[in-house]
Amino acid sequence: MAPSTQFELPQPPTDAVSSLVFSPDSSHRLLVSSWDRHVYLYQLTEGEGDNANLLNKYEHRAPVLDVCFGDASNNDAYTAGMDRQVKKIDLISGEQTVLSKHSEPVRCVVYSSAHNLLISASWDNTLHVHKLSEPGSDPLVIPLPGKPHALSSSPTKLVVAMTARLVHIYDLPTLAAATSPPAPWQTRESSLKFLTRAVACMPNDAGYATSSIEGRVAVEWFEDTPESQARKYAFKCHRQAAPEEEGGGDIVYPVNALAFHPVYGTFASGGGDGTVALWDAEAKRRMRQYQKFPEAVASLGFSGDGKYLAIGVCPGFETGMEDYTGQGRTRVFVRELGETEAKGKGTK
């Protein structure tokens, strides 16, 4: 088994990382969005010496809250901005096109290659569904009952996690065919008592995981049968024992990031405690916890082949730091996983 290695990306963002994502068709291309108003495109390299280089960066008018790759053949990416705009970026020319405008900052963007859809979620309590096969057409606007905080898609489903513990699940083929706002496929109440921080769908289209600001993760399945719903569970994580002189108990951290391994279906969580853990969703157990990072873990992403795990690290907003800045303290690490490092015991 090849040993695992970890390296740091050169020329990281100068403020907090908001998201990072690998290209679905290349495990060597990585996009990172930041509060410093830029999106960064890195190329990972095999062999000795520098393990990555910065290919390009794309300036925006305001902090960028999310980024995703689009159709690989077109070299496109999409961004969600604090400037309320959803943008397409041509990664080669750098040209930026505004696809739609929300009335409040855009929190998330998700691309579905199977349905050629780009979906944005904004703090104006709407989803915009962009049908990319119809360029220039207005997006389908779907009203939401709460402010969205996290968005994730599986092959056929879209999960929207909102305030007030609301979760809406949409059927992607229905969204692709819709000409007026469809009802959600399912509406749920979050299994977690506190605000949802992250959501990630299982690559096998079976369910999803959510995490909260209160050091917990929940795992649920889509199938709406009593047997399937009985399988859902939640657990505590990303907590540290408080010193006895401070009264003992736990120091509880937000779980900022979740990512499923595309091959084995295990998942990683990253928290305000500066740690990353790997979990076996089927066996309900922690597989491993990595060494502590110098700051909070803000974002996680596996490459499409499952070989790499990217980790965005910066001071956590929950620290209460006045005049917050991630400058000089924001770093992006990439871990090259050993062959079976992310393989759960339940994986055949």
Side-chain angles (χ1 to χ4, degrees):
M1 187 183 92
S4 54
T5 57
Q6 186 170 288
F7 54 92
E8 189 174 344
L9 297 191
Q11 298 172 267
T14 59
D15 207 341
V17 170
S18 55
S19 72
L20 46 76
V21 61
F22 279 95
S23 168
D25 70 308
S26 168
S27 61
H28 292 93
R29 296 209 310 164
L30 175 71
L31 281 171
V32 180
S33 60
S34 171
W35 284 78
D36 72 1
R37 309 194 333 273
H38 289 82
V39 168
Y40 296 74
L41 176 63
Y42 295 94
Q43 176 84 26
L44 308 191
T45 54
E46 302 273 3
E48 298 298 317
D50 285 337
N51 294 91
N53 52 61
L54 178 63
L55 290 185
N56 212 336
K57 64 179 187 176
Y58 311 92
E59 186 173 7
H60 288 58
R61 298 191 313 174
V64 186
L65 301 185
D66 200 10
V67 65
C68 65
F69 279 93
D71 183 350
S73 61
N74 292 337
N75 272 293
D76 290 337
Y78 300 95
T79 60
M82 191 70 95
D83 62 1
R84 309 176 181 183
Q85 296 182 344
V86 180
K87 284 183 178 174
K88 178 174 84 170
I89 304 176
D90 183 317
L91 294 173
I92 295 174
S93 71
E95 182 184 358
Q96 298 185 18
T97 308
V98 177
L99 295 187
S100 70
K101 293 181 180 180
H102 286 267
S103 59
E104 294 293 341
V106 191
R107 177 62 188 88
C108 315
V109 280
V110 161
Y111 172 70
S112 168
S113 58
H115 304 94
N116 202 20
L117 294 177
L118 178 77
I119 298 139
S120 58
S122 164
W123 290 334
D124 65 7
N125 293 15
T126 66
L127 297 177
H128 283 190
V129 181
H130 308 81
K131 297 182 181 181
L132 300 176
S133 59
E134 303 170 13
S137 63
D138 290 334
L140 178 67
V141 178
I142 299 178
L144 298 172
K147 184 186 283 190
H149 290 290
L151 191 66
S152 181
S153 65
S154 67
T156 67
K157 301 290 182 283
L158 177 80
V159 179
V160 189
M162 294 167 274
T163 47
R165 300 172 60 210
L166 295 164
V167 176
H168 277 192
I169 303 170
Y170 290 89
D171 181 65
L172 285 171
T174 301
L175 286 183
T179 54
S180 60
W185 178 69
Q186 286 181 17
T187 60
R188 295 188 181 184
E189 186 177 83
S190 170
S191 305
L192 304 171
K193 290 181 188 173
F194 293 87
L195 186 71
T196 303
R197 181 55 64 89
V199 60
C201 288
M202 298 175 186
N204 66 359
D205 214 16
Y208 62 95
T210 53
S211 67
S212 80
I213 58 170
E214 190 254 342
R216 284 179 200 262
V217 168
V219 180
E220 303 193 25
W221 279 262
F222 289 135
E223 191 180 35
D224 196 16
T225 61
E227 298 79 18
S228 189
Q229 291 310 302
R231 294 175 66 197
K232 69 182 179 185
Y233 63 92
F235 58 92
K236 298 177 183 178
C237 52
H238 297 283
R239 295 164 179 238
Q240 293 176 2
E244 287 300 326
E245 59 269 23
E246 293 178 16
D250 279 346
I251 302 172
V252 180
Y253 293 90
V255 184
N256 297 321
L258 295 170
F260 274 92
H261 191 278
V263 178
Y264 297 128
T266 52
F267 69 94
S269 65
D273 59 344
T275 66
V276 172
L278 267 182
W279 307 89
D280 185 331
E282 294 289 338
K284 301 185 184 179
R285 69 181 187 94
R286 188 173 76 186
M287 296 160 57
R288 63 185 73 234
Q289 181 164 306
Y290 298 111
Q291 93 287 353
K292 203 166 184 292
F293 289 93
E295 305 283 355
V297 175
S299 188
L300 294 170
F302 283 105
S303 60
D305 59 5
K307 183 179 178 182
Y308 297 105
L309 173 63
I311 303 145
V313 174
C314 55
F317 294 113
E318 71 278 356
T319 56
M321 185 197 306
E322 285 191 34
D323 301 323
Y324 177 96
T325 175
Q327 188 156 8
R329 297 169 64 184
T330 298
R331 300 159 80 178
V332 180
F333 297 90
V334 175
R335 182 174 183 84
E336 185 177 348
L337 302 180
E339 204 172 311
T340 58
E341 189 172 334
K343 188 174 184 179
K345 279 198 171 167
T347 311
K348 297 288 187 283

